[in-house]
Amino acid sequence: MTDAHTRNVERQIEWYGEPLGDRFARLLARLGLSQAQLAGVLGLSAPMLSQLMSGHRSKISSPAVLSRLLHLEAMVGDAAWDALSQDERSRRLADVRAAERSTLTMVTSEVQPAEAAPARPQPAGDPVTVIQDVLRAVASAAELESAAHLLEQDYPDLAEALRVLGTGRTPDARAYYSRIVAGPA
């Protein structure tokens, strides 16, 4: 690997919690799509998807593409996805392709058996990576660190949350999240 390639993969881990190649590979395997087909669903060119997967590019620059990625991961991560017909799966992929959601939109769980209760809004995927994705989509690591510094004196807990969830590594963010959600012992 070249220095630029290594740096791009490290940035992806910082911004998205893991290399984008890993995330895209899981989707390709789960959906049975080619890279070109997945690129079409996400709203990217096939060469751009390839560059992101290989680490030749580091960042998804479009908030709409990032939103589609999060939505797609949540949709196919739902166990009910397996029960859908191929026609219904194709329809839902077309819906993702047409979506113009912002990265701050909560994803509605649309994959349900026919007898299921109405959909409830749910964050896409793992809450820690959703939080990281949102923070990293709206600000760079340097901006998040600067905001944390400004908050430090009056709001130290909020500053720590920005630092850990916004600029920290995903395993550290998960540990922090678990500690916060669990509350005082």
Side-chain angles (χ1 to χ4, degrees):
M1 278 195 250
T2 66
D3 288 340
H5 178 263
T6 301
R7 189 171 47 253
N8 286 342
V9 172
E10 288 171 354
R11 286 178 180 157
Q12 288 180 356
I13 293 168
E14 177 185 343
W15 295 334
Y16 305 109
E18 64 184 314
L20 288 173
D22 294 349
R23 290 178 82 161
F24 292 135
R26 278 195 302 277
L27 284 174
L28 290 168
R30 181 84 165 113
L31 294 169
L33 298 177
S34 69
Q35 284 187 20
Q37 291 169 318
L38 179 60
V41 171
L42 293 171
L44 290 170
S45 70
M48 177 59 77
L49 178 66
S50 178
Q51 291 173 1
L52 288 165
M53 287 184 73
S54 66
H56 286 92
R57 295 232 180 199
S58 59
K59 185 176 183 183
I60 298 173
S61 58
S62 167
V65 170
L66 180 58
S67 180
R68 285 186 205 106
L69 173 62
L70 295 173
H71 183 76
L72 191 57
E73 287 175 328
M75 188 170 67
V76 303
D78 189 321
W81 175 260
D82 296 325
L84 297 176
S85 69
Q86 189 57 46
D87 286 343
E88 181 61 15
R89 288 180 185 189
S90 296
R91 186 191 69 74
R92 294 193 184 204
L93 291 175
D95 288 347
V96 171
R97 181 181 301 115
E100 289 295 329
R101 296 188 168 125
S102 92
T103 56
L104 299 178
T105 301
M106 298 300 271
V107 175
T108 299
S109 176
E110 298 169 358
V111 183
Q112 305 174 22
E115 304 298 319
R120 293 189 327 257
Q122 297 177 354
D126 171 21
V128 171
T129 57
V130 170
I131 294 166
Q132 288 179 319
D133 289 340
V134 169
L135 289 172
R136 294 167 183 180
V138 299
S140 69
E143 291 168 329
L144 291 168
E145 181 58 41
S146 180
H149 179 73
L150 291 171
L151 294 169
E152 187 69 45
Q153 175 123 7
D154 295 326
Y155 305 100
D157 293 338
L158 185 54
E160 179 184 18
L162 273 179
R163 283 190 179 103
V164 175
L165 295 169
T167 65
R169 299 187 60 82
T170 301
D172 298 333
R174 283 194 177 104
Y176 172 82
Y177 179 85
S178 294
R179 189 177 82 239
I180 296 300
V181 170

